[in-house]
């Protein structure tokens, strides 16, 4: 199934097969918002802004690598905070109790799309 007209595609579900995550960019210009889609252990698909709840650094050290080795948690490689994939809430590390910023998404067929009521430019500007 192809994305609905006007929908903003973040990735395909199969893009999550290798690492469980896929990075995306929202917005135009030299400093687009960077985010990532993650598939949780229960199969649910979620997306977050790639900015740690601790010191706001990007979480990953390598492309599409956001999970612990067992795939059960999102890991910030800067100071090793761990977050629940389903909620984005930090359960271990220096920002325990804080959460990643969620990017609203929906799954249509094999595509992960930005939620219909979200304007990509406006959303990206919130984090500029
Ligand atoms: S910046 Fe992520 S744990 Fe410190």
């Amino acid at each position: 199934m192809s994305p609905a007209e006007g929908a903003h595609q973040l990735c395909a579900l199969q893009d999550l097969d290798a690492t469980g995550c896929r990075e995306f960019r929202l917005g135009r210009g030299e400093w687009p918002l960077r985010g990532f889609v993650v598939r949780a252990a229960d199969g649910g698909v979620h997306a977050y802004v790639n900015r740690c709840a601790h010191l706001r650094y990007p979480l990953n050290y390598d492309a599409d690598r956001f999970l612990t080795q067992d795939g059960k948690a999102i890991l910030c490689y800067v100071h090793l905070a761990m977050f629940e994939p389903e909620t984005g809430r930090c359960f271990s590390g220096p920002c325990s109790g804080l959460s990643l910023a969620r990017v609203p998404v929906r799954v249509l067929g094999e595509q992960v799309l930005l939620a219909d009521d979200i304007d990509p430019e406006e959303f990206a500007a919130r984090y500029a």
Side-chain angles (χ1 to χ4, degrees), residues 52 54-57 76 78-81 94:
C52 184
H54 181 215
L55 296 180
R56 301 166 56 94
Y57 292 124
C76 177
V78 181
H79 304 113
L80 306 181

Side-chain angles (χ1 to χ4, degrees), residues 24-44:
F24 64 82
R25 295 177 182 199
L26 277 183
R28 290 188 274 267
E30 294 191 19
W31 299 101
L33 174 68
R34 292 167 187 254
F36 63 99
V37 175
V38 58
R39 180 161 39 215
D42 66 359

Side-chain angles (χ1 to χ4, degrees), residues 51-59 75-83 90 92-95 100:
R51 193 174 285 182
C52 184
H54 181 215
L55 296 180
R56 301 166 56 94
Y57 292 124
L59 290 96
L75 177 66
C76 177
Y77 287 90
V78 181
H79 304 113
L80 306 181
M82 288 194 279
F83 303 84
C90 179
S92 174
C95 48
L100 302 173

